[in-house]
Amino acid sequence: ELVEYKVLHDDDLVSVNGVIDINSDPPTYRVAGTLKGESIEALVGLEEGVILGGALNGDYQFNSSGDYLGDLIENLDGEAAVVMGPLSIKSNALNFVSTSIFSSMLEGVISKKEDEPVSVYQCGVLGVEVENGVARIDNAFTLQAERYNLAGSGEIDFNTGFVDISVAPKARTGLGLSVSTLVGGFTIKGHMATPDFGVGGALMSA
């Protein structure tokens, strides 16, 4: 027997389609969906106007099998690809963030220059591949600004709960800039429940 389901959120901006085959041994699960213009601001629940733009478009598909949660995690495979439109982040955005990890991530992408009250990114790309319960981002995360790029890589092991992700700034070719004076990047490392996190390579405990 196949059990199919479909979920739509926020006027179809987020869709989820799935199939569960409960007669197979072990049961198999397949899920796929799309993002159509969903905003980052809405996804993270920030006050309106703190983050402008950043519409997300993409698709994802994952499958797994198993009778228990541990089996489902170990057998999880799939991929996701998301493209982000132009994004502006106000420098006072940190005043509206309550979680330490997201605060570090946000601080790592906000311009350090006091004469830039808004950090502008022209586009962004995120690609994730999951195999046997391990999600890998192999240089498949990029935010592009006028004078630098932020490039990230790392992995999340759902079997062990361990995460190791770093996002570092790189000056655009030919600009002759010390990019560390512009933006810090961020690092998240450790168990997902209590990871260490930081800006510009300096880690601190959650």
Side-chain angles (χ1 to χ4, degrees):
E1 180 181 356
L2 297 179
V3 179
E4 298 188 23
Y5 59 89
K6 183 174 184 178
V7 179
L8 299 176
H9 170 66
D10 200 6
D11 295 330
D12 297 355
L13 293 183
V14 180
S15 69
V16 180
N17 299 280
V19 176
I20 303 173
D21 186 348
I22 59 178
N23 282 337
S24 64
D25 187 18
T28 60
Y29 303 82
R30 297 191 299 275
V31 61
T34 59
L35 293 172
K36 297 180 179 179
E38 180 70 308
S39 71
I40 293 179
E41 196 171 56
L43 286 177
V44 301
L46 285 179
E47 183 175 313
E48 186 175 355
V50 175
I51 295 179
L52 304 176
L56 302 173
N57 292 277
D59 53 65
Y60 58 90
Q61 57 179 2
F62 299 101
N63 59 80
S64 187
S65 62
D67 294 302
Y68 303 99
L69 179 59
D71 298 330
L72 293 174
I73 294 175
E74 183 179 356
N75 296 325
L76 180 63
D77 296 307
E79 58 185 5
V82 178
V83 176
M84 183 194 74
L87 170 71
S88 298
I89 307 174
K90 292 184 177 180
S91 296
N92 67 347
L94 293 172
N95 298 332
F96 301 93
V97 178
S98 58
T99 59
S100 298
I101 292 179
F102 186 57
S103 176
S104 293
M105 294 171 63
L106 200 55
E107 184 178 355
V109 301
I110 290 178
S111 174
K112 294 181 179 181
K113 297 181 71 63
E114 294 182 358
D115 60 348
E116 293 185 355
V118 177
S119 301
V120 178
Y121 289 93
Q122 297 155 352
C123 63
V125 177
L126 171 64
V128 180
E129 294 185 355
V130 182
E131 184 176 1
N132 297 327
V134 180
R136 293 183 173 85
I137 307 169
D138 293 326
N139 294 312
F141 171 80
T142 302
L143 284 174
Q144 180 177 315
E146 181 180 0
R147 292 175 290 176
Y148 58 85
N149 292 336
L150 281 166
S153 61
E155 69 176 37
I156 302 174
D157 190 334
F158 294 105
N159 297 292
T160 63
F162 187 82
V163 57
D164 186 357
I165 295 176
S166 61
V167 174
K170 298 180 179 179
R172 300 286 291 274
T173 302
L175 291 181
L177 294 172
S178 176
V179 71
S180 62
T181 65
L182 301 177
V183 67
F186 60 86
T187 301
I188 304 173
K189 188 172 184 177
H191 195 277
M192 286 187 287
T194 55
D196 295 329
F197 56 90
V199 178
L203 286 174
M204 63 187 73
S205 298

PDB file of all heavy atoms in Angstrom, residues 178-196:
ATOM      1  N   SER A 178      42.141  43.553   1.738  1.00  0.00           N
ATOM      2  CA  SER A 178      42.264  42.640   2.865  1.00  0.00           C
ATOM      3  C   SER A 178      40.849  42.292   3.281  1.00  0.00           C
ATOM      4  O   SER A 178      40.180  43.046   3.992  1.00  0.00           O
ATOM      5  CB  SER A 178      43.022  43.311   4.020  1.00  0.00           C
ATOM      6  OG  SER A 178      43.038  42.440   5.138  1.00  0.00           O
ATOM      7  N   VAL A 179      40.369  41.163   2.799  1.00  0.00           N
ATOM      8  CA  VAL A 179      38.944  40.858   2.925  1.00  0.00           C
ATOM      9  C   VAL A 179      38.511  40.702   4.383  1.00  0.00           C
ATOM     10  O   VAL A 179      37.347  40.919   4.723  1.00  0.00           O
ATOM     11  CB  VAL A 179      38.608  39.587   2.101  1.00  0.00           C
ATOM     12  CG1 VAL A 179      39.191  38.352   2.761  1.00  0.00           C
ATOM     13  CG2 VAL A 179      37.111  39.449   1.917  1.00  0.00           C
ATOM     14  N   SER A 180      39.435  40.361   5.272  1.00  0.00           N
ATOM     15  CA  SER A 180      39.077  40.182   6.680  1.00  0.00           C
ATOM     16  C   SER A 180      38.611  41.481   7.323  1.00  0.00           C
ATOM     17  O   SER A 180      37.967  41.466   8.369  1.00  0.00           O
ATOM     18  CB  SER A 180      40.254  39.607   7.466  1.00  0.00           C
ATOM     19  OG  SER A 180      41.354  40.488   7.436  1.00  0.00           O
ATOM     20  N   THR A 181      38.947  42.621   6.708  1.00  0.00           N
ATOM     21  CA  THR A 181      38.490  43.905   7.241  1.00  0.00           C
ATOM     22  C   THR A 181      37.062  44.216   6.809  1.00  0.00           C
ATOM     23  O   THR A 181      36.450  45.161   7.310  1.00  0.00           O
ATOM     24  CB  THR A 181      39.406  45.048   6.776  1.00  0.00           C
ATOM     25  OG1 THR A 181      39.303  45.178   5.346  1.00  0.00           O
ATOM     26  CG2 THR A 181      40.848  44.780   7.160  1.00  0.00           C
ATOM     27  N   LEU A 182      36.529  43.411   5.885  1.00  0.00           N
ATOM     28  CA  LEU A 182      35.193  43.662   5.361  1.00  0.00           C
ATOM     29  C   LEU A 182      34.136  42.799   6.022  1.00  0.00           C
ATOM     30  O   LEU A 182      33.045  43.272   6.342  1.00  0.00           O
ATOM     31  CB  LEU A 182      35.181  43.421   3.844  1.00  0.00           C
ATOM     32  CG  LEU A 182      36.130  44.263   3.004  1.00  0.00           C
ATOM     33  CD1 LEU A 182      36.050  43.849   1.548  1.00  0.00           C
ATOM     34  CD2 LEU A 182      35.804  45.739   3.153  1.00  0.00           C
ATOM     35  N   VAL A 183      34.444  41.520   6.193  1.00  0.00           N
ATOM     36  CA  VAL A 183      33.453  40.583   6.711  1.00  0.00           C
ATOM     37  C   VAL A 183      34.184  39.405   7.338  1.00  0.00           C
ATOM     38  O   VAL A 183      35.320  39.081   6.948  1.00  0.00           O
ATOM     39  CB  VAL A 183      32.507  40.117   5.567  1.00  0.00           C
ATOM     40  CG1 VAL A 183      33.261  39.275   4.558  1.00  0.00           C
ATOM     41  CG2 VAL A 183      31.287  39.389   6.098  1.00  0.00           C
ATOM     42  N   GLY A 184      33.569  38.753   8.336  1.00  0.00           N
ATOM     43  CA  GLY A 184      34.284  37.735   9.093  1.00  0.00           C
ATOM     44  C   GLY A 184      34.087  36.295   8.674  1.00  0.00           C
ATOM     45  O   GLY A 184      34.969  35.469   8.832  1.00  0.00           O
ATOM     46  N   GLY A 185      32.901  35.968   8.136  1.00  0.00           N
ATOM     47  CA  GLY A 185      32.579  34.553   7.952  1.00  0.00           C
ATOM     48  C   GLY A 185      32.249  33.929   9.288  1.00  0.00           C
ATOM     49  O   GLY A 185      32.283  34.594  10.336  1.00  0.00           O
ATOM     50  N   PHE A 186      31.903  32.621   9.304  1.00  0.00           N
ATOM     51  CA  PHE A 186      31.553  31.983  10.567  1.00  0.00           C
ATOM     52  C   PHE A 186      31.874  30.495  10.535  1.00  0.00           C
ATOM     53  O   PHE A 186      32.066  29.906   9.470  1.00  0.00           O
ATOM     54  CB  PHE A 186      30.072  32.190  10.906  1.00  0.00           C
ATOM     55  CG  PHE A 186      29.116  31.627   9.888  1.00  0.00           C
ATOM     56  CD1 PHE A 186      28.708  30.304   9.942  1.00  0.00           C
ATOM     57  CD2 PHE A 186      28.612  32.433   8.875  1.00  0.00           C
ATOM     58  CE1 PHE A 186      27.822  29.780   9.012  1.00  0.00           C
ATOM     59  CE2 PHE A 186      27.724  31.925   7.931  1.00  0.00           C
ATOM     60  CZ  PHE A 186      27.329  30.603   8.006  1.00  0.00           C
ATOM     61  N   THR A 187      31.942  29.902  11.719  1.00  0.00           N
ATOM     62  CA  THR A 187      32.236  28.472  11.874  1.00  0.00           C
ATOM     63  C   THR A 187      31.274  27.867  12.890  1.00  0.00           C
ATOM     64  O   THR A 187      30.983  28.479  13.919  1.00  0.00           O
ATOM     65  CB  THR A 187      33.684  28.263  12.371  1.00  0.00           C
ATOM     66  OG1 THR A 187      34.588  28.835  11.432  1.00  0.00           O
ATOM     67  CG2 THR A 187      33.997  26.782  12.524  1.00  0.00           C
ATOM     68  N   ILE A 188      30.782  26.677  12.592  1.00  0.00           N
ATOM     69  CA  ILE A 188      29.950  25.906  13.524  1.00  0.00           C
ATOM     70  C   ILE A 188      30.541  24.507  13.598  1.00  0.00           C
ATOM     71  O   ILE A 188      30.700  23.842  12.566  1.00  0.00           O
ATOM     72  CB  ILE A 188      28.486  25.836  13.062  1.00  0.00           C
ATOM     73  CG1 ILE A 188      27.905  27.244  12.870  1.00  0.00           C
ATOM     74  CG2 ILE A 188      27.646  25.047  14.058  1.00  0.00           C
ATOM     75  CD1 ILE A 188      26.520  27.246  12.261  1.00  0.00           C
ATOM     76  N   LYS A 189      30.885  24.059  14.793  1.00  0.00           N
ATOM     77  CA  LYS A 189      31.537  22.761  14.938  1.00  0.00           C
ATOM     78  C   LYS A 189      31.173  22.121  16.272  1.00  0.00           C
ATOM     79  O   LYS A 189      31.158  22.778  17.303  1.00  0.00           O
ATOM     80  CB  LYS A 189      33.061  22.924  14.852  1.00  0.00           C
ATOM     81  CG  LYS A 189      33.830  21.616  14.804  1.00  0.00           C
ATOM     82  CD  LYS A 189      35.300  21.869  14.524  1.00  0.00           C
ATOM     83  CE  LYS A 189      36.074  20.574  14.374  1.00  0.00           C
ATOM     84  NZ  LYS A 189      37.495  20.808  14.018  1.00  0.00           N
ATOM     85  N   GLY A 190      30.883  20.808  16.236  1.00  0.00           N
ATOM     86  CA  GLY A 190      30.562  20.081  17.453  1.00  0.00           C
ATOM     87  C   GLY A 190      29.232  19.358  17.336  1.00  0.00           C
ATOM     88  O   GLY A 190      28.680  19.214  16.239  1.00  0.00           O
ATOM     89  N   HIS A 191      28.702  18.897  18.459  1.00  0.00           N
ATOM     90  CA  HIS A 191      27.416  18.213  18.439  1.00  0.00           C
ATOM     91  C   HIS A 191      26.297  19.214  18.172  1.00  0.00           C
ATOM     92  O   HIS A 191      26.335  20.338  18.669  1.00  0.00           O
ATOM     93  CB  HIS A 191      27.161  17.485  19.759  1.00  0.00           C
ATOM     94  CG  HIS A 191      26.044  16.488  19.668  1.00  0.00           C
ATOM     95  ND1 HIS A 191      24.717  16.838  19.793  1.00  0.00           N
ATOM     96  CD2 HIS A 191      26.067  15.141  19.437  1.00  0.00           C
ATOM     97  CE1 HIS A 191      23.960  15.771  19.658  1.00  0.00           C
ATOM     98  NE2 HIS A 191      24.745  14.727  19.433  1.00  0.00           N
ATOM     99  N   MET A 192      25.304  18.809  17.386  1.00  0.00           N
ATOM    100  CA  MET A 192      24.237  19.719  17.005  1.00  0.00           C
ATOM    101  C   MET A 192      23.497  20.293  18.199  1.00  0.00           C
ATOM    102  O   MET A 192      22.976  21.410  18.138  1.00  0.00           O
ATOM    103  CB  MET A 192      23.254  19.013  16.060  1.00  0.00           C
ATOM    104  CG  MET A 192      23.791  18.815  14.660  1.00  0.00           C
ATOM    105  SD  MET A 192      22.544  18.176  13.513  1.00  0.00           S
ATOM    106  CE  MET A 192      22.419  16.472  14.069  1.00  0.00           C
ATOM    107  N   ALA A 193      23.441  19.551  19.296  1.00  0.00           N
ATOM    108  CA  ALA A 193      22.736  20.033  20.485  1.00  0.00           C
ATOM    109  C   ALA A 193      23.488  21.162  21.172  1.00  0.00           C
ATOM    110  O   ALA A 193      22.882  22.105  21.694  1.00  0.00           O
ATOM    111  CB  ALA A 193      22.496  18.885  21.458  1.00  0.00           C
ATOM    112  N   THR A 194      24.825  21.093  21.181  1.00  0.00           N
ATOM    113  CA  THR A 194      25.638  22.109  21.860  1.00  0.00           C
ATOM    114  C   THR A 194      26.913  22.383  21.066  1.00  0.00           C
ATOM    115  O   THR A 194      28.029  22.124  21.537  1.00  0.00           O
ATOM    116  CB  THR A 194      26.016  21.656  23.283  1.00  0.00           C
ATOM    117  OG1 THR A 194      26.679  20.374  23.188  1.00  0.00           O
ATOM    118  CG2 THR A 194      24.795  21.536  24.168  1.00  0.00           C
ATOM    119  N   PRO A 195      26.796  22.922  19.862  1.00  0.00           N
ATOM    120  CA  PRO A 195      27.997  23.146  19.038  1.00  0.00           C
ATOM    121  C   PRO A 195      28.778  24.359  19.505  1.00  0.00           C
ATOM    122  O   PRO A 195      28.257  25.244  20.191  1.00  0.00           O
ATOM    123  CB  PRO A 195      27.409  23.368  17.653  1.00  0.00           C
ATOM    124  CG  PRO A 195      26.083  24.015  17.930  1.00  0.00           C
ATOM    125  CD  PRO A 195      25.574  23.346  19.181  1.00  0.00           C
ATOM    126  N   ASP A 196      30.055  24.393  19.130  1.00  0.00           N
ATOM    127  CA  ASP A 196      30.841  25.611  19.264  1.00  0.00           C
ATOM    128  C   ASP A 196      30.594  26.441  18.001  1.00  0.00           C
ATOM    129  O   ASP A 196      30.376  25.905  16.923  1.00  0.00           O
ATOM    130  CB  ASP A 196      32.321  25.291  19.391  1.00  0.00           C
ATOM    131  CG  ASP A 196      32.645  24.511  20.671  1.00  0.00           C
ATOM    132  OD1 ASP A 196      31.933  24.720  21.663  1.00  0.00           O
ATOM    133  OD2 ASP A 196      33.583  23.700  20.651  1.00  0.00           O
TER     134      ASP A 196
END
